[in-house]
């Protein structure tokens, strides 16, 4: 049987690890079938026998036939450690048994028991956390999600299956095969196949008009990831008031992810950091920019990265970044990034924040795919200097309190969203009265005035708005020293949005 090829670099890397005599190789992947293909191809390249072990069937030879009475992991490990010659053993369900002393002992002895043999135990799983006793004798390999080309081939294979097995009509042109593959980026093979089947079987056809349904299927799958969230972008930058400099910057780079920009000699933009006063629309700008560029928007919640097990928090971040890369071109939004990489000695969290920072900085420097990082921060003093140095981001924007003209525009936007005509109100007076208010505080004024009008069973009136403005205490009044210090930093060190 012919085996579909996997990434040559991955194949080469695993071959090197085996020949370098690593007795244990952890292969992390959600796609078990891809790990199987990788192990098979490396075994062929090295002319090694390949065995597989599962907790239900025990040891099995790839050439055919199982080895009886080897469901117990200790029995299976003892068996393979005494086999003559070089070999590869793919262990699929071993992690739950790490706590058994005899299993841990046999894994620790794999180095000495294999001796001079270039044999390896391949530990396959999604989140494989090794006991600390095994870390020094193990290598770790990350199997990436399928590439665009792999997904396009999957679409073609699945289309043939649907036509022959399900008698489903397939009407995809060559460009639509590519669009379908793009819509599936970020999913592993089996997930992508299920999403395709669901889209096709819903109307007994698979065509270009199913691309939006495939995207929605992918969104539903991503919502199951506790660390990465699919966010619906806004229509464009016009939905935010002010931020003229940021809007102009974004407009010039709108088509920078396409082939024409590449032929022109341009690399895709890396990202921006939005620093500013809370409530000034930084998060809104992230959603608006993704909409302006017509790119998918993924939000990474720093609080969901942290795990109680050593090394898992960094692994969570790497997996999230890998998913974002698979969906490229895309916008990755990290809100209040200081919560993930707060500057400090690192002793209070055993250096975890420093390791998270190191993982993120390495990715920012070496990311292989066009993922635009859009980070926001309310407290720039907590960000480490190495994160802010020139070159990490294309630009650092400071989002200040809105000027009078911007406040007028913000009032106008919220009136239209509430289906009230802005012409009914004295916008210039409202803008003047709300000096020192952020965009979020202006929105709160409009909402409060609407509640007032609703409770009085009256239409929204200018007087209700002015009363709410007079009663409000904006942050610029509650914490004037902090706001002033932040504004001074922004005007000195960043570009005004």
């Amino acid at each position: 049987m012919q085996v579909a090829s996997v990434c040559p670099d991955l194949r080469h890397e695993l071959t090197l690890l085996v020949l370098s005599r690593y007795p244990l190789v952890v292969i992390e992947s959600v796609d078990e079938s891809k790990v199987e293909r990788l192990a098979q191809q490396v075994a062929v390249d090295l002319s090694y026998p390949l065995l597989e072990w599962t907790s239900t069937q025990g040891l099995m030879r790839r050439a055919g036939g199982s080895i009886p009475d080897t469901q117990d992991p200790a029995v299976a490990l003892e068996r393979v450690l005494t086999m003559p010659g070089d070999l590869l053993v793919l262990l699929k369900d071993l992690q739950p048994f790490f706590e058994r002393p005899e299993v841990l002992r046999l894994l620790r002895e794999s180095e000495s028991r294999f001796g001079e043999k270039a044999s390896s135990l391949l530990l396959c799983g999604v989140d494989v956390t090794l006991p600390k006793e095994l870390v020094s004798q193990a290598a770790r390999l990350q199997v990436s999600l399928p590439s665009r080309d792999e997904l396009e081939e999957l679409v073609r294979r699945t289309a043939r299956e649907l036509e022959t097995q399900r008698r489903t009509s397939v009407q995809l042109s060559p460009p639509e095969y590519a669009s379908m593959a793009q819509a599936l980026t970020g999913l592993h093979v089996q997930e992508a196949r299920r999403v395709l089947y669901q889209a096709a079987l819903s109307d007994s056809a698979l065509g270009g008009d199913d691309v939006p349904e495939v995207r929605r299927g992918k969104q539903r799958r991503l919502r199951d990831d506790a660390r990465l969230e699919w966010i619906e972008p806004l229509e464009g930058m016009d939905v935010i008031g002010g931020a003229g400099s940021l809007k102009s910057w974004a407009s010039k780079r709108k088509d920078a992810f396409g082939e024409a920009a590449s032929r022109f000699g341009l690399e895709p933009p890396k990202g921006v950091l939005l620093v500013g006063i809370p409530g000034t629309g930084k998060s809104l700008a992230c959603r608006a920019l993704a909409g302006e560029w017509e790119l998918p928007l993924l939000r990474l919640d720093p609080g969901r990265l942290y795990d109680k097990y050593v090394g898992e928090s960094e692994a969570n971040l790497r997996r999230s970044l890998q998913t974002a890369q698979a969906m490229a071109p895309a916008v990755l939004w990290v809100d209040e990034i200081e919560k993930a990489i707060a500057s400090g000695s690192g002793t209070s969290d055993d250096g975890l924040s420093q390791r998270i920072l190191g993982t993120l900085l390495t990715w920012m420097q070496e990311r292989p795919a066009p993922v635009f990082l859009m980070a926001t921060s309310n407290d720039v003093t907590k960000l480490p200097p190495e994160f802010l140095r020139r070159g990490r981001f294309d630009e650092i924007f400071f989002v200040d309190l809105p000027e009078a003209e911007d406040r007028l525009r913000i009032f106008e936007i919220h009136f239209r969203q509430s289906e009230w005509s802005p012409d009914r109100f004295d916008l210039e007076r409202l803008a003047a009265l709300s000096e020192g208010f952020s965009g979020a505080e202006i929105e709160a004024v409009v909402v409060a005035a609407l509640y007032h009008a609703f409770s009085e069973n009256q239409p929204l009136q200018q007087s209700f708005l002015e009363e709410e403005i007079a009663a409000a205490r904006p942050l610029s009044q509650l914490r004037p020293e902090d706001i002033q210090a932040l504004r001074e930093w922004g005007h000195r060190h960043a570009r005004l949005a």
Side-chain angles (χ1 to χ4, degrees):
M1 180 180 68
Q2 185 177 4
V3 178
S5 181
V6 295
C7 173
D9 290 343
L10 196 64
R11 188 170 169 178
H12 178 65
E13 187 175 354
L14 180 56
T15 301
L16 286 179
L17 292 174
V18 174
L19 294 177
S20 299
R21 288 173 166 74
Y22 277 95
L24 303 176
V25 179
V26 176
I27 305 179
E28 288 194 326
S29 176
V30 296
D31 189 350
E32 196 173 82
S33 63
K34 191 170 184 177
V35 178
E36 290 175 355
R37 295 197 304 273
L38 174 63
Q40 290 175 47
Q41 289 165 3
V42 171
V44 170
D45 293 342
L46 296 173
S47 298
Y48 280 14
L50 173 64
L51 283 78
E52 290 186 7
W53 179 85
T54 65
S55 58
T56 55
Q57 298 189 44
L59 283 171
M60 295 168 287
R61 297 182 179 89
R62 289 300 301 180
S66 61
I67 300 176
D69 302 321
T70 54
Q71 286 89 347
D72 185 282
V75 173
L77 286 170
E78 180 66 42
R79 189 70 173 267
V80 299
L81 291 177
T82 56
M83 287 182 176
D86 295 319
L87 76 160
L88 293 180
V89 185
L90 182 60
L91 303 160
K92 293 183 177 178
D93 305 311
L94 197 61
Q95 180 164 344
F97 301 99
F98 285 163
E99 296 181 359
R100 286 178 52 178
E102 67 275 24
V103 171
L104 181 59
R105 169 46 55 189
L106 287 165
L107 289 171
R108 293 188 69 181
E109 290 180 358
S110 61
E111 190 165 27
S112 60
R113 300 274 287 269
F114 280 148
E116 292 302 312
K117 294 192 299 183
S119 297
S120 293
L121 305 176
L122 311 179
L123 311 182
C124 169
V126 178
D127 298 310
V128 181
T129 304
L130 288 177
K132 59 184 179 181
E133 295 92 337
L134 300 177
V135 172
S136 63
Q137 64 192 69
R140 192 173 288 268
L141 192 63
Q142 191 88 33
V143 176
S144 62
L145 291 163
S147 67
R148 199 79 50 81
D149 290 342
E150 289 175 311
L151 286 170
E152 186 167 345
E153 177 56 31
L154 172 70
V155 175
R156 294 182 184 279
R157 288 201 313 269
T158 306
R160 290 193 293 269
E161 289 175 13
L162 287 165
E163 281 187 307
T164 57
Q165 298 175 12
R166 300 280 183 170
R167 295 184 175 86
T168 301
S169 172
V170 176
Q171 300 169 350
L172 288 169
S173 66
E176 287 170 341
Y177 275 105
S179 298
M180 194 70 79
Q182 167 65 37
L184 290 166
T185 54
L187 299 178
H188 66 70
V189 169
Q190 295 303 327
E191 284 181 323
R193 190 169 179 273
R194 286 192 287 267
V195 168
L196 283 173
Y197 259 77
Q198 186 174 2
L201 296 178
S202 63
D203 58 359
S204 299
L206 184 65
D209 56 348
D210 285 311
V211 172
E213 177 58 32
V214 167
R215 288 200 187 99
R216 286 190 289 271
K218 179 171 68 175
Q219 291 175 28
R220 289 191 291 270
R221 297 298 304 144
L222 282 175
R223 288 191 187 104
D224 295 336
D225 188 324
R227 297 168 295 272
L228 208 55
E229 182 182 3
W230 180 291
I231 300 294
E232 193 66 35
L234 299 176
E235 293 180 1
M237 299 295 283
D238 289 340
V239 300
I240 58 177
S245 179
L246 176 60
K247 288 178 178 177
S248 174
W249 187 94
S251 176
K252 292 174 183 176
R253 290 157 179 80
K254 180 175 182 179
D255 299 317
F257 292 91
E259 289 294 330
S262 179
R263 290 194 298 270
F264 194 77
L266 287 174
E267 292 185 357
K270 297 178 180 178
V272 295
L273 173 64
L274 301 182
V275 179
I277 298 163
T280 49
K282 298 184 293 298
S283 298
L284 193 69
C286 295
R287 296 181 62 193
L289 183 139
E292 181 79 12
W293 287 356
E294 299 179 356
L295 294 178
L297 176 62
L298 303 172
R299 188 170 77 93
L300 178 63
D301 185 348
R304 295 180 180 178
L305 290 176
Y306 290 96
D307 194 285
K308 63 181 179 179
Y309 295 107
V310 175
E312 277 304 289
S313 300
E314 303 94 297
N316 287 341
L317 176 58
R318 285 194 298 271
R319 283 189 288 271
S320 297
L321 296 175
Q322 184 187 40
T323 300
Q325 286 169 192
M327 297 195 61
V331 176
L332 179 62
W333 167 24
V334 186
D335 210 12
E336 296 185 68
I337 198 168
E338 66 270 20
K339 292 181 178 179
I341 57 171
S343 180
S345 64
T347 56
S348 61
D349 60 1
D350 293 324
L352 177 56
S353 60
Q354 291 302 306
R355 295 196 299 274
I356 289 286
L357 173 63
T359 299
L360 184 59
L361 291 180
T362 300
W363 176 81
M364 291 172 68
Q365 193 70 30
E366 301 175 0
R367 76 190 89 171
V371 177
F372 184 82
L373 177 61
M374 203 159 188
T376 72
S377 175
N378 289 331
D379 189 352
V380 71
T381 63
K382 291 183 178 179
L383 293 175
E386 59 267 39
F387 187 73
L388 295 171
R389 77 160 174 81
R390 202 70 184 170
R392 298 292 188 198
F393 293 95
D394 296 309
E395 196 65 76
I396 298 177
F397 283 99
F398 179 71
V399 187
D400 204 349
L401 290 170
E403 300 289 343
E405 184 178 346
D406 298 331
R407 295 196 297 275
L408 186 151
R409 171 69 175 144
I410 294 169
F411 271 111
E412 184 180 41
I413 289 172
H414 288 299
F415 288 143
R416 293 192 188 281
Q417 289 177 346
S418 303
E419 299 184 359
W420 290 92
S421 171
D423 298 336
R424 293 171 49 90
F425 308 100
D426 186 346
L427 296 178
E428 292 187 358
R429 176 169 172 77
L430 293 174
L433 291 174
S434 59
E435 183 177 0
F437 281 57
S438 68
E441 289 163 342
I442 291 173
E443 180 183 13
V445 163
V446 175
V447 171
L450 284 167
Y451 274 114
H452 186 172
F454 181 74
S455 66
E456 299 281 348
N457 197 24
Q458 296 184 35
L460 183 62
Q461 298 178 21
Q462 178 86 13
S463 60
F464 295 165
L465 293 157
E466 294 185 10
E467 287 175 22
E468 295 299 336
I469 292 173
R473 294 289 305 280
L475 191 62
S476 61
Q477 295 178 14
L478 293 174
R479 303 184 65 177
E481 296 84 3
D482 294 340
I483 298 300
Q484 184 58 33
L486 184 56
R487 296 183 75 182
E488 288 176 0
W489 184 94
H491 284 260
R492 285 199 310 269
H493 300 291
R495 180 175 176 178
L496 296 182

